[in-house]
């Protein structure tokens, strides 16, 4: 069990975050320019100015509010010390172990076992776990999972991961919301009022549904699976007890059915793939094989 | 030639600034880590009178233990140096452990809600002290490595910074107290 150089990881994540913001910023402007060339080259300035304002707002908003978008998209609620004393204590302990301020704590009501961290830096971090995780894991296992998340917080993985999920994934989040509302009949359409707006909504929804898989692929390319191994070993270094996380992953593997309904854009943030731990093909997955992670933890 | 010299000077300045900052940042981290421990130690000390008040009525035959934790607390509050503080705290930790072990003999006390809450709180603090100690030791190790290896050792000399001493805080067991009889 050796300590990896956190400073290098922090620097890498900060540079990658700035790079991402620049790329997204410039592609909006480029897109606006291309569209203007097709539409009316005389209006290029107008289009680019609009795009400039829009992408400035979008970048600013993403940087400061992406954690809230992520939390809202998974329907998490804040945990209280009274209700979740146990969890709050564990988070406080590991924040001390990692030398970071205590993150805010959120819970998702679900029987699935999962957790993720988000936020733009350790001062504005959030750790979120499912209620199932708290119920089924024992203390050292919960410590293992929280330590994993705490190392994502400490090395700024949370900044880059959250920015990718929101900036690249915005289309995916909207497409997934749209799909969910179609599946569960959330969108109610008046029979009498089948005007343009309804039709337009369908077209936009379809367009997003077509684009979404491309953006999911982009997210997977951006967020490397290596960071999960890194957080596993840094987390094990924090608790000095790799078996805690290893046995937590065993339980997660046994228990999870893929019933956690979250957007594909935020899936890479979770400690294990929310969709299915067993079925996902290794090559297509954002997460490393859970058995391999357990093996690595046990050989530390 | 002039450009080369200028480049060299800039490079030297950058290296000096980098190391000077690094030494100060890591030194601050050590101090901060110590204050983290301090916060938890204070919290524990604050809970002692509460605990004494709760167990007094039940543990009539364990006056010695109870008064030893009270004495250790007074020593802690009167401590002037960090060393004294740590010594008194190790005594508190030892006495608390004994109290919780003996409490096993008093079913009524164990069922007392106030006692259960205090036990949970104190074991949480125990964990936090252990983790804070771990972070403190890690920070000292990183700091000492920097100021004792080349080239950090040169800058440490200029800044008058020396290796920091590890503080011997009793290794708190991060597992429930086991009672032996």
């Amino acid at each position: 069990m050796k300590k990896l150089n956190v400073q290098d990881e922090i620097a890498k994540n900060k540079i990658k975050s700035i790079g991402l913001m620049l790329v997204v910023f410039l592609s909006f402007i480029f897109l606006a320019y291309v569209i203007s060339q097709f539409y009316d080259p005389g209006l290029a300035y107008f289009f680019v100015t609009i795009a400039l304002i829009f992408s400035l707002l979008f970048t600013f908003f993403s940087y400061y509010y992406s954690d809230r978008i992520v939390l809202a998209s998974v329907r998490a609620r804040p945990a209280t010390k009274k209700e979740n004393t146990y969890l709050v204590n564990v988070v406080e302990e590991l924040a001390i172990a990692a030398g970071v301020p205590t993150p805010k704590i959120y819970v998702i009501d679900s029987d699935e076992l999962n957790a993720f961290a988000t936020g733009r830096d350790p001062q504005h971090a959030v750790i979120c776990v499912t209620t199932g995780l708290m119920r089924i894991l024992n203390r050292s296992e919960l410590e293992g999972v929280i330590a994993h998340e705490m190392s994502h917080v400490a090395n700024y993985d949370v900044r880059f991961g959250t920015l990718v999920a929101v900036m690249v994934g915005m289309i995916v989040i909207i497409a997934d919301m749209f799909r969910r509302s179609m599946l569960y009949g959330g969108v109610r359409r008046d029979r009498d009022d089948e005007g343009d707006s309804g039709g337009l909504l369908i077209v936009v929804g379809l367009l997003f549904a077509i684009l979404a898989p491309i953006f999911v692929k982009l997210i997977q390319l951006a967020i490397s699976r290596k960071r999960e191994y890194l957080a596993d070993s840094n987390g094990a270094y924090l608790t000095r007890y790799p078996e805690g996380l290893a046995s937590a992953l065993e339980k997660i593997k046994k228990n999870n059915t893929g019933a956690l309904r979250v957007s594909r854009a935020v899936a890479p943030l979770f400690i294990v793939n929310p969709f299915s731990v067993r079925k996902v093909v290794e090559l297509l997955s954002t997460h490393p094989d859970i058995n391999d992670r357990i093996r690595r933890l046990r050989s530390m | 030639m002039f450009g080369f010299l200028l480049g060299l000077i800039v490079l030297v300045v950058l290296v000096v600034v980098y190391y000077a900052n690094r030494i100060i940042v890591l030194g601050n981290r050590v101090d901060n880590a110590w204050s983290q421990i301090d916060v938890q130690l204070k919290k524990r000390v604050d809970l002692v009178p509460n605990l004494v008040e709760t167990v007094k009525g039940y543990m009539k035959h364990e006056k010695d233990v109870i008064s030893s934790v009270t004495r250790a607390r007074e020593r802690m509050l009167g401590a002037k140096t960090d060393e004294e503080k740590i010594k008194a705290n190790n005594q508190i930790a030892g006495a608390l452990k004994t109290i919780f072990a003996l409490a096993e003999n008093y079913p009524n006390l164990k069922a007392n809600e106030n006692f259960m809450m205090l036990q949970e709180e104190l074991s949480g603090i125990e964990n936090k002290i252990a983790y804070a100690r771990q972070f403190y030791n890690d920070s000292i190790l990183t700091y000492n490595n920097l100021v004792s290896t080349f080239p950090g050792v040169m800058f440490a000399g200029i800044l008058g910074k020396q290796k920091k001493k590890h503080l011997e805080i009793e290794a708190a067991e991060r597992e429930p107290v086991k009672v032996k009889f």
Side-chain angles (χ1 to χ4, degrees), chain A residues 7 89 92-93 96-99 139 143 237-240, chain B residues 22 29 36 40 120 124 127-128 131-132 134-135 138 174:
Chain A
Q7 289 305 320
N89 268 341
E92 281 175 356
E93 281 164 27
I96 289 172
R139 191 173 177 112
E143 279 186 18
Y237 184 80
L238 284 184
T239 58
R240 306 287 201 270
Chain B
R22 202 83 193 104
R29 193 197 285 171
Q36 277 291 349
Q40 300 304 329
E120 161 76 34
N127 274 348
K128 282 172 197 166
Y131 277 127
Q134 179 182 304
F135 182 68
D138 283 354
R174 282 220 312 274

Side-chain angles (χ1 to χ4, degrees), chain A residues 37-59:
Chain A
Q37 292 307 305
F38 277 110
Y39 190 69
D40 178 2
L43 286 173
Y45 275 114
F46 175 72
F47 271 82
V48 169
T49 312
I50 297 286
L52 199 69
I53 294 166
F54 174 76
S55 46
L56 263 177
L57 283 175
F58 183 66
T59 312

